[in-house]
Amino acid sequence: MEIDAVGPAGRDAREALLACFRDFFIDLPDGELPFPVDELIDTVVGGVCSATYRRIAAGRTADLPSLLPGLTFSVLAPFLGPELAAAGLGEPASSSRPHPGCPAPSPETGDRERSTRR
């Protein structure tokens, strides 16, 4: 992957970004899985990142909104089952607020800073 060419700083930045997405699963109820739930979360987060990255790398950013139903289903199905995940594909709630814990660009530097709100 290209991130390896950037070196340790790039890998650390990528890991921090992925970790903030893991925060969306912090209130996940305990369930019976044959493997650690953290592995499933990492797989789900990695799949979403991969799907979006491929579109961006191909210059197809206009296609990103069309990914929402499939990504939503992919994120929900492992935890809720396919029937409930499909039922969750209604209209998304609108929000102008950033999600807690996700990096937001700093107005001064353009760098991403981790939100302190949890």
Side-chain angles (χ1 to χ4, degrees), residues 32-47:
E32 298 285 328
L33 294 174
F35 48 84
V37 71
D38 289 342
E39 289 180 21
L40 180 57
I41 292 169
D42 284 347
T43 300
V44 168
V45 168

PDB file of all heavy atoms in Angstrom, residues 32-47:
ATOM      1  N   GLU A  32     -22.439 -12.796  21.223  1.00  0.00           N
ATOM      2  CA  GLU A  32     -21.746 -14.083  21.140  1.00  0.00           C
ATOM      3  C   GLU A  32     -21.147 -14.217  19.749  1.00  0.00           C
ATOM      4  O   GLU A  32     -21.874 -14.433  18.775  1.00  0.00           O
ATOM      5  CB  GLU A  32     -22.749 -15.219  21.393  1.00  0.00           C
ATOM      6  CG  GLU A  32     -23.387 -15.177  22.766  1.00  0.00           C
ATOM      7  CD  GLU A  32     -22.425 -15.628  23.848  1.00  0.00           C
ATOM      8  OE1 GLU A  32     -21.564 -16.487  23.586  1.00  0.00           O
ATOM      9  OE2 GLU A  32     -22.543 -15.108  24.975  1.00  0.00           O
ATOM     10  N   LEU A  33     -19.856 -14.055  19.630  1.00  0.00           N
ATOM     11  CA  LEU A  33     -19.154 -14.233  18.369  1.00  0.00           C
ATOM     12  C   LEU A  33     -18.060 -15.276  18.570  1.00  0.00           C
ATOM     13  O   LEU A  33     -17.486 -15.366  19.653  1.00  0.00           O
ATOM     14  CB  LEU A  33     -18.523 -12.919  17.894  1.00  0.00           C
ATOM     15  CG  LEU A  33     -19.473 -11.792  17.506  1.00  0.00           C
ATOM     16  CD1 LEU A  33     -18.680 -10.523  17.209  1.00  0.00           C
ATOM     17  CD2 LEU A  33     -20.310 -12.181  16.300  1.00  0.00           C
ATOM     18  N   PRO A  34     -17.744 -16.017  17.526  1.00  0.00           N
ATOM     19  CA  PRO A  34     -16.689 -17.031  17.656  1.00  0.00           C
ATOM     20  C   PRO A  34     -15.276 -16.447  17.556  1.00  0.00           C
ATOM     21  O   PRO A  34     -14.310 -17.187  17.432  1.00  0.00           O
ATOM     22  CB  PRO A  34     -16.991 -17.982  16.495  1.00  0.00           C
ATOM     23  CG  PRO A  34     -17.665 -17.130  15.486  1.00  0.00           C
ATOM     24  CD  PRO A  34     -18.450 -16.103  16.264  1.00  0.00           C
ATOM     25  N   PHE A  35     -15.168 -15.121  17.590  1.00  0.00           N
ATOM     26  CA  PHE A  35     -13.882 -14.429  17.523  1.00  0.00           C
ATOM     27  C   PHE A  35     -14.057 -13.074  18.194  1.00  0.00           C
ATOM     28  O   PHE A  35     -15.187 -12.638  18.423  1.00  0.00           O
ATOM     29  CB  PHE A  35     -13.429 -14.266  16.060  1.00  0.00           C
ATOM     30  CG  PHE A  35     -14.503 -13.741  15.153  1.00  0.00           C
ATOM     31  CD1 PHE A  35     -14.746 -12.389  15.045  1.00  0.00           C
ATOM     32  CD2 PHE A  35     -15.297 -14.620  14.432  1.00  0.00           C
ATOM     33  CE1 PHE A  35     -15.747 -11.907  14.239  1.00  0.00           C
ATOM     34  CE2 PHE A  35     -16.307 -14.150  13.619  1.00  0.00           C
ATOM     35  CZ  PHE A  35     -16.537 -12.788  13.522  1.00  0.00           C
ATOM     36  N   PRO A  36     -12.968 -12.383  18.509  1.00  0.00           N
ATOM     37  CA  PRO A  36     -13.093 -11.091  19.199  1.00  0.00           C
ATOM     38  C   PRO A  36     -13.842 -10.056  18.361  1.00  0.00           C
ATOM     39  O   PRO A  36     -13.614  -9.929  17.159  1.00  0.00           O
ATOM     40  CB  PRO A  36     -11.640 -10.654  19.419  1.00  0.00           C
ATOM     41  CG  PRO A  36     -10.844 -11.911  19.347  1.00  0.00           C
ATOM     42  CD  PRO A  36     -11.571 -12.807  18.376  1.00  0.00           C
ATOM     43  N   VAL A  37     -14.739  -9.324  18.993  1.00  0.00           N
ATOM     44  CA  VAL A  37     -15.529  -8.313  18.298  1.00  0.00           C
ATOM     45  C   VAL A  37     -14.633  -7.240  17.681  1.00  0.00           C
ATOM     46  O   VAL A  37     -14.971  -6.671  16.646  1.00  0.00           O
ATOM     47  CB  VAL A  37     -16.609  -7.710  19.223  1.00  0.00           C
ATOM     48  CG1 VAL A  37     -15.992  -6.834  20.291  1.00  0.00           C
ATOM     49  CG2 VAL A  37     -17.642  -6.951  18.424  1.00  0.00           C
ATOM     50  N   ASP A  38     -13.483  -6.955  18.296  1.00  0.00           N
ATOM     51  CA  ASP A  38     -12.560  -5.963  17.729  1.00  0.00           C
ATOM     52  C   ASP A  38     -12.082  -6.364  16.344  1.00  0.00           C
ATOM     53  O   ASP A  38     -11.853  -5.508  15.488  1.00  0.00           O
ATOM     54  CB  ASP A  38     -11.361  -5.742  18.652  1.00  0.00           C
ATOM     55  CG  ASP A  38     -11.745  -4.997  19.923  1.00  0.00           C
ATOM     56  OD1 ASP A  38     -12.822  -4.364  19.956  1.00  0.00           O
ATOM     57  OD2 ASP A  38     -10.964  -5.054  20.887  1.00  0.00           O
ATOM     58  N   GLU A  39     -11.924  -7.656  16.104  1.00  0.00           N
ATOM     59  CA  GLU A  39     -11.533  -8.117  14.771  1.00  0.00           C
ATOM     60  C   GLU A  39     -12.623  -7.823  13.754  1.00  0.00           C
ATOM     61  O   GLU A  39     -12.349  -7.421  12.629  1.00  0.00           O
ATOM     62  CB  GLU A  39     -11.213  -9.612  14.788  1.00  0.00           C
ATOM     63  CG  GLU A  39      -9.932  -9.942  15.509  1.00  0.00           C
ATOM     64  CD  GLU A  39      -9.638 -11.437  15.511  1.00  0.00           C
ATOM     65  OE1 GLU A  39     -10.171 -12.176  14.641  1.00  0.00           O
ATOM     66  OE2 GLU A  39      -8.873 -11.868  16.382  1.00  0.00           O
ATOM     67  N   LEU A  40     -13.862  -8.033  14.139  1.00  0.00           N
ATOM     68  CA  LEU A  40     -14.987  -7.737  13.244  1.00  0.00           C
ATOM     69  C   LEU A  40     -15.066  -6.240  12.970  1.00  0.00           C
ATOM     70  O   LEU A  40     -15.250  -5.815  11.827  1.00  0.00           O
ATOM     71  CB  LEU A  40     -16.296  -8.249  13.844  1.00  0.00           C
ATOM     72  CG  LEU A  40     -17.545  -8.007  13.015  1.00  0.00           C
ATOM     73  CD1 LEU A  40     -17.430  -8.617  11.621  1.00  0.00           C
ATOM     74  CD2 LEU A  40     -18.764  -8.556  13.737  1.00  0.00           C
ATOM     75  N   ILE A  41     -14.909  -5.436  14.000  1.00  0.00           N
ATOM     76  CA  ILE A  41     -14.939  -3.981  13.823  1.00  0.00           C
ATOM     77  C   ILE A  41     -13.831  -3.539  12.879  1.00  0.00           C
ATOM     78  O   ILE A  41     -14.067  -2.739  11.963  1.00  0.00           O
ATOM     79  CB  ILE A  41     -14.851  -3.262  15.189  1.00  0.00           C
ATOM     80  CG1 ILE A  41     -16.126  -3.520  15.985  1.00  0.00           C
ATOM     81  CG2 ILE A  41     -14.601  -1.767  15.007  1.00  0.00           C
ATOM     82  CD1 ILE A  41     -16.049  -3.086  17.428  1.00  0.00           C
ATOM     83  N   ASP A  42     -12.615  -4.050  13.063  1.00  0.00           N
ATOM     84  CA  ASP A  42     -11.514  -3.691  12.168  1.00  0.00           C
ATOM     85  C   ASP A  42     -11.806  -4.101  10.726  1.00  0.00           C
ATOM     86  O   ASP A  42     -11.478  -3.371   9.786  1.00  0.00           O
ATOM     87  CB  ASP A  42     -10.208  -4.334  12.630  1.00  0.00           C
ATOM     88  CG  ASP A  42      -9.599  -3.635  13.832  1.00  0.00           C
ATOM     89  OD1 ASP A  42     -10.044  -2.514  14.170  1.00  0.00           O
ATOM     90  OD2 ASP A  42      -8.679  -4.206  14.443  1.00  0.00           O
ATOM     91  N   THR A  43     -12.440  -5.251  10.543  1.00  0.00           N
ATOM     92  CA  THR A  43     -12.785  -5.711   9.203  1.00  0.00           C
ATOM     93  C   THR A  43     -13.823  -4.796   8.568  1.00  0.00           C
ATOM     94  O   THR A  43     -13.710  -4.424   7.390  1.00  0.00           O
ATOM     95  CB  THR A  43     -13.314  -7.161   9.261  1.00  0.00           C
ATOM     96  OG1 THR A  43     -12.283  -7.984   9.809  1.00  0.00           O
ATOM     97  CG2 THR A  43     -13.709  -7.670   7.896  1.00  0.00           C
ATOM     98  N   VAL A  44     -14.834  -4.415   9.333  1.00  0.00           N
ATOM     99  CA  VAL A  44     -15.879  -3.525   8.820  1.00  0.00           C
ATOM    100  C   VAL A  44     -15.286  -2.159   8.469  1.00  0.00           C
ATOM    101  O   VAL A  44     -15.519  -1.627   7.379  1.00  0.00           O
ATOM    102  CB  VAL A  44     -17.021  -3.395   9.855  1.00  0.00           C
ATOM    103  CG1 VAL A  44     -17.963  -2.262   9.497  1.00  0.00           C
ATOM    104  CG2 VAL A  44     -17.776  -4.709   9.969  1.00  0.00           C
ATOM    105  N   VAL A  45     -14.513  -1.590   9.370  1.00  0.00           N
ATOM    106  CA  VAL A  45     -13.903  -0.282   9.134  1.00  0.00           C
ATOM    107  C   VAL A  45     -12.977  -0.345   7.917  1.00  0.00           C
ATOM    108  O   VAL A  45     -13.005   0.526   7.046  1.00  0.00           O
ATOM    109  CB  VAL A  45     -13.149   0.210  10.385  1.00  0.00           C
ATOM    110  CG1 VAL A  45     -12.276   1.423  10.077  1.00  0.00           C
ATOM    111  CG2 VAL A  45     -14.133   0.534  11.497  1.00  0.00           C
ATOM    112  N   GLY A  46     -12.164  -1.403   7.835  1.00  0.00           N
ATOM    113  CA  GLY A  46     -11.258  -1.544   6.699  1.00  0.00           C
ATOM    114  C   GLY A  46     -11.995  -1.674   5.381  1.00  0.00           C
ATOM    115  O   GLY A  46     -11.574  -1.122   4.362  1.00  0.00           O
ATOM    116  N   GLY A  47     -13.120  -2.383   5.388  1.00  0.00           N
ATOM    117  CA  GLY A  47     -13.912  -2.527   4.164  1.00  0.00           C
ATOM    118  C   GLY A  47     -14.493  -1.207   3.690  1.00  0.00           C
ATOM    119  O   GLY A  47     -14.469  -0.899   2.497  1.00  0.00           O
TER     120      GLY A  47
END
